[in-house]
Tab-separated table of all heavy atoms in Angstrom:
chain	number	residue	atom	x	y	z
N	1	GLU	N	-8.867	14.318	44.746
N	1	GLU	CA	-10.072	13.650	44.250
N	1	GLU	C	-10.800	14.527	43.242
N	1	GLU	O	-11.336	14.025	42.249
N	1	GLU	CB	-10.996	13.291	45.416
N	1	GLU	CG	-10.384	12.335	46.419
N	1	GLU	CD	-10.015	10.997	45.798
N	1	GLU	OE1	-10.707	10.565	44.852
N	1	GLU	OE2	-9.038	10.375	46.259
N	2	THR	N	-10.838	15.821	43.488
N	2	THR	CA	-11.534	16.725	42.571
N	2	THR	C	-10.671	17.103	41.370
N	2	THR	O	-11.195	17.439	40.303
N	2	THR	CB	-11.975	18.002	43.295
N	2	THR	OG1	-10.830	18.623	43.894
N	2	THR	CG2	-12.991	17.677	44.373
N	3	LEU	N	-9.345	17.044	41.531
N	3	LEU	CA	-8.461	17.432	40.432
N	3	LEU	C	-8.356	16.360	39.353
N	3	LEU	O	-8.190	16.679	38.169
N	3	LEU	CB	-7.061	17.742	40.970
N	3	LEU	CG	-6.897	19.097	41.663
N	3	LEU	CD1	-5.565	19.175	42.389
N	3	LEU	CD2	-7.025	20.228	40.640
N	4	HIS	N	-8.461	15.092	39.718
N	4	HIS	CA	-8.299	14.017	38.735
N	4	HIS	C	-9.373	14.129	37.646
N	4	HIS	O	-10.570	14.125	37.934
N	4	HIS	CB	-8.385	12.652	39.406
N	4	HIS	CG	-8.109	11.526	38.450
N	4	HIS	ND1	-6.831	11.187	38.063
N	4	HIS	CD2	-8.944	10.691	37.781
N	4	HIS	CE1	-6.888	10.182	37.207
N	4	HIS	NE2	-8.161	9.851	37.027
N	5	GLY	N	-8.911	14.276	36.392
N	5	GLY	CA	-9.820	14.367	35.260
N	5	GLY	C	-10.441	15.731	35.054
N	5	GLY	O	-11.189	15.939	34.087
N	6	ALA	N	-10.144	16.682	35.938
N	6	ALA	CA	-10.719	18.022	35.830
N	6	ALA	C	-9.761	18.956	35.088
N	6	ALA	O	-8.632	18.597	34.743
N	6	ALA	CB	-11.024	18.568	37.219
N	7	VAL	N	-10.218	20.186	34.853
N	7	VAL	CA	-9.368	21.234	34.292
N	7	VAL	C	-8.873	22.080	35.457
N	7	VAL	O	-9.653	22.795	36.096
N	7	VAL	CB	-10.145	22.088	33.278
N	7	VAL	CG1	-9.269	23.234	32.765
N	7	VAL	CG2	-10.636	21.235	32.116
N	8	ALA	N	-7.587	21.975	35.769
N	8	ALA	CA	-7.007	22.668	36.922
N	8	ALA	C	-6.696	24.114	36.552
N	8	ALA	O	-6.034	24.385	35.546
N	8	ALA	CB	-5.740	21.962	37.382
N	9	LEU	N	-7.171	25.034	37.359
N	9	LEU	CA	-6.937	26.460	37.144
N	9	LEU	C	-5.962	26.959	38.210
N	9	LEU	O	-6.230	26.868	39.407
N	9	LEU	CB	-8.254	27.228	37.239
N	9	LEU	CG	-8.166	28.761	37.156
N	9	LEU	CD1	-7.612	29.198	35.798
N	9	LEU	CD2	-9.531	29.389	37.420
N	10	VAL	N	-4.828	27.482	37.764
N	10	VAL	CA	-3.771	27.953	38.648
N	10	VAL	C	-3.516	29.422	38.356
N	10	VAL	O	-3.454	29.836	37.190
N	10	VAL	CB	-2.473	27.155	38.424
N	10	VAL	CG1	-1.362	27.645	39.337
N	10	VAL	CG2	-2.713	25.668	38.663
N	11	ASP	N	-3.369	30.238	39.394
N	11	ASP	CA	-3.006	31.642	39.191
N	11	ASP	C	-1.949	32.053	40.205
N	11	ASP	O	-1.414	31.212	40.953
N	11	ASP	CB	-4.242	32.547	39.223
N	11	ASP	CG	-4.868	32.649	40.614
N	11	ASP	OD1	-4.406	31.944	41.545
N	11	ASP	OD2	-5.824	33.428	40.768
N	12	GLU	N	-1.648	33.346	40.262
N	12	GLU	CA	-0.579	33.831	41.129
N	12	GLU	C	-0.813	33.461	42.591
N	12	GLU	O	0.101	33.046	43.315
N	12	GLU	CB	-0.450	35.359	41.004
N	12	GLU	CG	0.063	35.828	39.660
N	12	GLU	CD	-1.057	36.152	38.686
N	12	GLU	OE1	-2.148	35.557	38.843
N	12	GLU	OE2	-0.844	36.973	37.782
N	13	ALA	N	-2.070	33.577	43.029
N	13	ALA	CA	-2.374	33.294	44.431
N	13	ALA	C	-2.130	31.835	44.781
N	13	ALA	O	-1.890	31.510	45.951
N	13	ALA	CB	-3.830	33.674	44.723
N	14	SER	N	-2.174	30.948	43.789
N	14	SER	CA	-1.956	29.521	44.054
N	14	SER	C	-0.555	29.259	44.590
N	14	SER	O	-0.323	28.250	45.267
N	14	SER	CB	-2.157	28.705	42.778
N	14	SER	OG	-3.416	28.947	42.185
N	15	PHE	N	0.395	30.144	44.292
N	15	PHE	CA	1.791	29.928	44.663
N	15	PHE	C	2.178	30.653	45.945
N	15	PHE	O	3.249	30.403	46.492
N	15	PHE	CB	2.708	30.358	43.525
N	15	PHE	CG	2.570	29.508	42.300
N	15	PHE	CD1	1.616	29.798	41.347
N	15	PHE	CD2	3.379	28.404	42.109
N	15	PHE	CE1	1.482	29.005	40.218
N	15	PHE	CE2	3.251	27.608	40.986
N	15	PHE	CZ	2.297	27.915	40.034
N	16	GLY	N	1.331	31.541	46.414
N	16	GLY	CA	1.664	32.287	47.615
N	16	GLY	C	2.668	33.389	47.330
N	16	GLY	O	3.179	33.523	46.212
N	17	GLU	N	2.954	34.174	48.349
N	17	GLU	CA	3.873	35.299	48.180
N	17	GLU	C	5.326	34.829	48.176
N	17	GLU	O	5.711	33.951	48.947
N	17	GLU	CB	3.670	36.314	49.309
N	17	GLU	CG	2.311	37.012	49.265
N	17	GLU	CD	2.189	38.076	50.323
N	17	GLU	OE1	3.217	38.367	50.994
N	17	GLU	OE2	1.082	38.611	50.499
N	18	LYS	N	6.102	35.422	47.303
N	18	LYS	CA	7.548	35.201	47.238
N	18	LYS	C	7.894	33.719	47.144
N	18	LYS	O	8.787	33.214	47.832
N	18	LYS	CB	8.246	35.844	48.444
N	18	LYS	CG	8.087	37.358	48.487
N	18	LYS	CD	8.852	37.979	49.633
N	18	LYS	CE	8.697	39.494	49.634
N	18	LYS	NZ	9.429	40.139	50.749
N	19	ALA	N	7.172	33.010	46.283
N	19	ALA	CA	7.449	31.592	46.088
N	19	ALA	C	8.819	31.407	45.458
N	19	ALA	O	9.239	32.183	44.605
N	19	ALA	CB	6.384	30.976	45.193
N	20	LYS	N	9.523	30.375	45.878
N	20	LYS	CA	10.837	30.061	45.321
N	20	LYS	C	10.679	29.258	44.034
N	20	LYS	O	9.701	28.534	43.832
N	20	LYS	CB	11.659	29.262	46.333
N	20	LYS	CG	12.021	30.030	47.601
N	20	LYS	CD	13.055	31.097	47.323
N	20	LYS	CE	13.539	31.747	48.608
N	20	LYS	NZ	14.568	32.761	48.341
N	21	LEU	N	11.685	29.372	43.184
N	21	LEU	CA	11.668	28.678	41.902
N	21	LEU	C	11.428	27.187	42.080
N	21	LEU	O	10.613	26.586	41.378
N	21	LEU	CB	13.003	28.917	41.188
N	21	LEU	CG	13.228	28.203	39.865
N	21	LEU	CD1	12.295	28.752	38.812
N	21	LEU	CD2	14.674	28.364	39.428
N	22	ASN	N	12.138	26.584	43.018
N	22	ASN	CA	11.977	25.146	43.210
N	22	ASN	C	10.565	24.797	43.660
N	22	ASN	O	10.005	23.770	43.260
N	22	ASN	CB	13.002	24.618	44.215
N	22	ASN	CG	12.979	25.365	45.525
N	22	ASN	OD1	13.122	26.589	45.543
N	22	ASN	ND2	12.799	24.660	46.629
N	23	ALA	N	9.948	25.657	44.488
N	23	ALA	CA	8.582	25.400	44.946
N	23	ALA	C	7.592	25.496	43.794
N	23	ALA	O	6.638	24.706	43.704
N	23	ALA	CB	8.211	26.386	46.050
N	24	VAL	N	7.804	26.455	42.889
N	24	VAL	CA	6.914	26.615	41.741
N	24	VAL	C	6.923	25.361	40.874
N	24	VAL	O	5.871	24.782	40.557
N	24	VAL	CB	7.325	27.846	40.910
N	24	VAL	CG1	6.557	27.889	39.590
N	24	VAL	CG2	7.087	29.120	41.705
N	25	PHE	N	8.109	24.912	40.497
N	25	PHE	CA	8.174	23.786	39.571
N	25	PHE	C	7.896	22.452	40.253
N	25	PHE	O	7.324	21.548	39.640
N	25	PHE	CB	9.513	23.789	38.847
N	25	PHE	CG	9.586	24.860	37.795
N	25	PHE	CD1	10.198	26.074	38.061
N	25	PHE	CD2	8.993	24.685	36.567
N	25	PHE	CE1	10.237	27.071	37.103
N	25	PHE	CE2	9.022	25.677	35.602
N	25	PHE	CZ	9.649	26.874	35.875
N	26	THR	N	8.240	22.331	41.522
N	26	THR	CA	7.860	21.127	42.253
N	26	THR	C	6.345	21.033	42.364
N	26	THR	O	5.752	19.950	42.198
N	26	THR	CB	8.493	21.120	43.657
N	26	THR	OG1	9.918	21.102	43.522
N	26	THR	CG2	8.048	19.908	44.461
N	27	GLY	N	5.709	22.162	42.628
N	27	GLY	CA	4.256	22.169	42.702
N	27	GLY	C	3.603	21.801	41.390
N	27	GLY	O	2.644	21.015	41.353
N	28	LEU	N	4.115	22.340	40.294
N	28	LEU	CA	3.555	22.001	38.983
N	28	LEU	C	3.751	20.520	38.667
N	28	LEU	O	2.848	19.864	38.130
N	28	LEU	CB	4.199	22.871	37.909
N	28	LEU	CG	3.789	24.347	37.906
N	28	LEU	CD1	4.656	25.145	36.940
N	28	LEU	CD2	2.315	24.503	37.537
N	29	GLU	N	4.920	19.993	38.996
N	29	GLU	CA	5.158	18.567	38.772
N	29	GLU	C	4.169	17.716	39.568
N	29	GLU	O	3.621	16.726	39.058
N	29	GLU	CB	6.592	18.201	39.170
N	29	GLU	CG	7.655	18.709	38.216
N	29	GLU	CD	9.063	18.384	38.697
N	29	GLU	OE1	9.186	17.788	39.796
N	29	GLU	OE2	10.020	18.711	37.991
N	30	HIS	N	3.925	18.095	40.811
N	30	HIS	CA	3.007	17.311	41.639
N	30	HIS	C	1.576	17.426	41.122
N	30	HIS	O	0.826	16.434	41.123
N	30	HIS	CB	3.088	17.771	43.091
N	30	HIS	CG	2.465	16.812	44.046
N	30	HIS	ND1	3.013	15.582	44.334
N	30	HIS	CD2	1.308	16.877	44.765
N	30	HIS	CE1	2.241	14.938	45.198
N	30	HIS	NE2	1.196	15.705	45.472
N	31	LEU	N	1.204	18.619	40.681
N	31	LEU	CA	-0.127	18.801	40.106
N	31	LEU	C	-0.329	17.875	38.917
N	31	LEU	O	-1.369	17.210	38.794
N	31	LEU	CB	-0.313	20.265	39.700
N	31	LEU	CG	-1.593	20.604	38.927
N	31	LEU	CD1	-2.847	20.229	39.721
N	31	LEU	CD2	-1.606	22.090	38.557
N	32	ARG	N	0.649	17.804	38.040
N	32	ARG	CA	0.516	16.923	36.869
N	32	ARG	C	0.361	15.463	37.292
N	32	ARG	O	-0.357	14.698	36.649
N	32	ARG	CB	1.736	17.089	35.969
N	32	ARG	CG	1.863	18.469	35.329
N	32	ARG	CD	3.069	18.557	34.411
N	32	ARG	NE	3.276	19.916	33.930
N	32	ARG	CZ	4.290	20.701	34.264
N	32	ARG	NH1	5.226	20.265	35.108
N	32	ARG	NH2	4.388	21.920	33.770
N	33	SER	N	1.042	15.075	38.361
N	33	SER	CA	0.983	13.684	38.797
N	33	SER	C	-0.401	13.274	39.286
N	33	SER	O	-0.704	12.078	39.378
N	33	SER	CB	2.010	13.427	39.906
N	33	SER	OG	1.582	13.982	41.149
N	34	LEU	N	-1.256	14.241	39.586
N	34	LEU	CA	-2.589	13.939	40.087
N	34	LEU	C	-3.603	13.727	38.964
N	34	LEU	O	-4.776	13.465	39.234
N	34	LEU	CB	-3.067	15.060	41.021
N	34	LEU	CG	-2.190	15.283	42.264
N	34	LEU	CD1	-2.732	16.429	43.108
N	34	LEU	CD2	-2.082	14.014	43.093
N	35	GLY	N	-3.154	13.856	37.716
N	35	GLY	CA	-3.977	13.467	36.584
N	35	GLY	C	-5.096	14.387	36.167
N	35	GLY	O	-6.164	13.905	35.743
N	36	PRO	N	-4.905	15.712	36.224
N	36	PRO	CA	-5.946	16.561	35.643
N	36	PRO	C	-5.990	16.386	34.125
N	36	PRO	O	-5.001	15.964	33.510
N	36	PRO	CB	-5.505	17.976	36.025
N	36	PRO	CG	-4.025	17.881	36.186
N	36	PRO	CD	-3.757	16.507	36.726
N	37	ALA	N	-7.120	16.694	33.537
N	37	ALA	CA	-7.233	16.598	32.079
N	37	ALA	C	-6.412	17.678	31.390
N	37	ALA	O	-5.926	17.485	30.272
N	37	ALA	CB	-8.697	16.709	31.667
N	38	ALA	N	-6.258	18.825	32.052
N	38	ALA	CA	-5.510	19.944	31.483
N	38	ALA	C	-5.230	20.943	32.601
N	38	ALA	O	-5.814	20.857	33.692
N	38	ALA	CB	-6.301	20.618	30.365
N	39	ILE	N	-4.320	21.858	32.321
N	39	ILE	CA	-3.995	22.922	33.271
N	39	ILE	C	-4.181	24.262	32.563
N	39	ILE	O	-3.716	24.446	31.429
N	39	ILE	CB	-2.549	22.795	33.783
N	39	ILE	CG1	-2.362	21.467	34.518
N	39	ILE	CG2	-2.196	23.960	34.707
N	39	ILE	CD1	-0.931	21.189	34.933
């Protein structure tokens, strides 16, 4: 609800420790699907 139309700020901590490649890109894909104005 807060991400839609907002400017999403993502940093290293957003991914957690030792994140896997698939988790990183799956997460980014899902973030985009929620409709932020920008990342």
Side-chain angles (χ1 to χ4, degrees):
E1 299 299 328
T2 56
L3 283 169
H4 185 78
V7 176
L9 175 63
V10 180
D11 69 355
E12 292 93 333
S14 306
F15 294 87
E17 293 184 8
K18 297 183 179 180
K20 294 289 187 179
L21 176 68
N22 54 305
V24 171
F25 285 98
T26 298
L28 288 171
E29 288 177 358
H30 195 70
L31 173 58
R32 294 182 187 112
S33 75
L34 299 179
I39 299 174

